[in-house]
Amino acid sequence: MGYRFKENESAPDGINRISLEQIDLAYERLSLKTRNRDRAVHEARVCFKKIRAVLRLVYGELGRDIFKLENREYRDAGRQLSKARDTTVVAGTLEELVRHFNKQLVDPDIKTLRKRLRRAKAEQHIDKKQTLQVAEALSSARQRVEIWPINNDGFSALRAGLQRVYKRGRAGFELARVVRTTDNLHEWRKQVKYLWYQVCILNPMWPKPLDVLAHELSKLADYLSEDHDLALLSRTAIEQAQSLGDPGEVEKLILLIDQRRILLQTKAAALGARIYAEKPKAFVNRMQAHWEAWRPTSTGEHAEDPQMDLTFEATCVSST
C-alpha cells in the first residue's frame, strides 16, 4: 500500500508502518552500490521529507519535545546529503531555462556560464562515507519510532497536526501573495509539500477528490520549487557577472529569469487561492467527516461541523 493508510488499519499502526517503510527505503537507497548516487541520495532525502510530514501529522500526539527531536534528526540528515545540491540544481536550472527560451540564450557569455556550471557539477562528488554514516544513524531512528506516544486511535491522532500544517500553508500563501520574496515563497513551498504528503497518507478515506487535491498540491510545489531554483541561478549569475565579460549578457539572463519567475508565481498564486480557500477548521472538519464515513466504527469522535456539503469536492473537481 505504500505511503498511505490501509483499510481497517488503526492510526497508530498506520503511522508506525508508514514511517518505518520510509526509513527502510532511505537506508536501502543510501546503502546501494550504484553509479547513480545522486539519484539514490535524492530519493533518500525525499524519504526524510515524507517522514517529517508524518511527524507534523501526529504533532498533537508526539508533543513539542519529541517532535523537535525527531524533526531535527531528519532535517539534519537531509542537509548532510544536500551539500552538493545547489551546484547540481543551478546547472540543471540553466539548462532548462535555455530550452525554455531557446533562441534567446545563445550569447557567448551565457555559454561560458553554462560551461562553468557543467564543470562544477561534474566536479561535485557525494561523500560515500557520509552517506553510510547517515544510513547507520537510521537504525536508532527506527527504534524510536516503535515508542512514539501515539495513543489515540482514529482521526483524533491526526486532527491537530493536519490543521496546523494547513493553517501554516494558508498563512504562507497569504504572506507570499502580498510580499513575494524568495524567502517567503520558499517557506510557503515547505508547507505545501507537507500538506501534499499528508493528503497522500489520507487518500484511501476519500480517493478521487484527494487524488485531485494531491495532484494540485504537487503542481503547486513544482511551481514554487522551480521558482526557488531560478532564484539560486540568478544569485549565481550575479556573483559571476564580473568574470563573464560583458555584464549586459548577465543582465539579459536575469531579465529572462525574472520573466519566468513572474509567470510561475502567478500560476502558484492562482492555484494556492483554490487549495487554501477554506479556513483551517472547516478544512479539517471536512477531512474528519470523511474519515468517520470511511471508518464509522473506529471512533466515537464527531467533526464539529458534520454537515456534508460538497463545496470542497466541487472546488477540487473544478481545478482539473
Side-chain angles (χ1 to χ4, degrees):
M1 293 294 293
Y3 194 73
R4 59 183 59 193
F5 281 117
K6 292 180 179 180
E7 194 76 27
N8 300 321
E9 183 177 47
S10 71
D13 287 347
I15 292 298
N16 184 284
R17 174 186 58 80
I18 290 167
S19 301
L20 292 176
E21 286 177 353
Q22 291 303 309
I23 290 173
D24 291 345
L25 183 57
Y27 180 85
E28 176 188 312
R29 292 294 180 265
L30 295 177
S31 302
L32 282 174
K33 294 181 179 179
T34 175
R35 291 183 178 180
N36 195 350
R37 186 159 292 277
D38 283 344
R39 181 175 180 80
V41 167
H42 168 73
E43 290 175 353
R45 292 182 71 243
V46 170
C47 291
F48 296 152
K49 291 177 182 178
K50 287 185 174 182
I51 295 169
R52 293 177 70 193
V54 172
L55 292 170
R56 281 159 174 77
L57 187 58
V58 290
Y59 178 87
E61 293 287 288
L62 296 179
R64 185 172 180 270
D65 291 343
I66 294 177
F67 170 81
K68 285 183 67 176
L69 168 66
E70 296 289 352
N71 185 61
R72 184 172 60 248
E73 290 288 326
Y74 295 107
R75 180 200 65 196
D76 291 349
R79 286 177 177 174
Q80 280 185 264
L81 300 175
S82 66
K83 292 181 179 179
R85 179 185 181 276
D86 282 359
T87 299
T88 301
V89 166
V90 168
T93 301
L94 181 54
E95 295 303 315
E96 286 295 326
L97 198 67
V98 168
R99 282 191 286 271
H100 184 79
F101 286 106
N102 201 3
K103 297 180 181 179
Q104 298 181 56
L105 284 174
V106 295
D107 301 289
D109 287 322
I110 300 302
K111 289 182 179 178
T112 301
L113 179 60
R114 291 174 73 187
K115 288 179 181 178
R116 284 189 185 182
L117 292 176
R118 287 173 181 167
R119 185 167 59 249
K121 178 181 177 181
E123 292 172 353
Q124 288 287 349
H125 297 289
I126 295 173
D127 190 336
K128 184 177 180 181
K129 182 178 179 181
Q130 192 173 52
T131 62
L132 291 176
Q133 288 175 343
V134 173
E136 288 171 4
L138 293 177
S139 61
S140 60
R142 204 179 194 285
Q143 292 172 7
R144 292 197 307 272
V145 171
E146 302 284 0
I147 57 172
W148 281 353
I150 305 173
N151 300 314
N152 291 314
D153 190 9
F155 199 78
S156 62
L158 316 173
R159 181 181 174 92
L162 181 62
Q163 183 166 329
R164 187 170 180 261
V165 166
Y166 183 88
K167 183 177 181 179
R168 289 190 169 192
R170 195 169 190 258
F173 160 65
E174 295 291 351
L175 181 59
R177 183 171 61 174
V178 176
V179 186
R180 290 189 183 182
T181 65
T182 298
D183 286 344
N184 286 345
L185 290 162
H186 179 55
E187 289 302 315
W188 179 31
R189 178 185 68 154
K190 290 192 287 188
Q191 300 304 322
V192 168
K193 284 195 170 185
Y194 292 141
L195 183 61
W196 169 29
Y197 292 142
Q198 290 178 356
V199 166
C200 291
I201 292 171
L202 294 170
N203 177 275
M205 74 178 188
W206 198 23
K208 290 184 179 179
L210 290 187
D211 278 342
V212 173
L213 180 55
H215 175 72
E216 297 287 75
L217 284 162
S218 174
K219 188 190 301 183
L220 177 55
D222 285 344
Y223 292 152
L224 295 172
S225 293
E226 184 180 349
D227 177 79
H228 184 67
D229 294 343
L230 286 167
L232 289 176
L233 174 60
S234 179
R235 186 179 68 191
T236 301
I238 291 171
E239 290 172 351
Q240 299 201 22
Q242 289 185 341
S243 61
L244 288 174
D246 184 359
E249 300 301 338
V250 174
E251 290 176 6
K252 178 180 178 181
L253 173 62
I254 300 303
L255 286 173
L256 292 175
I257 290 173
D258 290 345
Q259 180 181 332
R260 179 64 178 163
R261 289 190 69 192
I262 289 170
L263 175 61
L264 290 167
Q265 291 171 19
T266 301
K267 289 182 175 180
L271 190 51
R274 292 204 300 272
I275 291 172
Y276 293 101
E278 288 187 299
K279 292 184 177 180
K281 182 180 285 189
F283 173 80
V284 176
N285 283 345
R286 195 175 306 282
M287 295 300 102
Q288 181 169 339
H290 283 280
W291 175 280
E292 292 171 5
W294 180 48
R295 293 181 170 177
T297 61
S298 67
T299 176
E301 304 165 315
H302 296 286
E304 294 179 31
D305 178 15
Q307 186 175 355
M308 297 286 287
D309 64 74
L310 299 177
T311 304
F312 180 73
E313 184 170 2
T315 301
C316 287
V317 172
S318 68
S319 65
T320 58

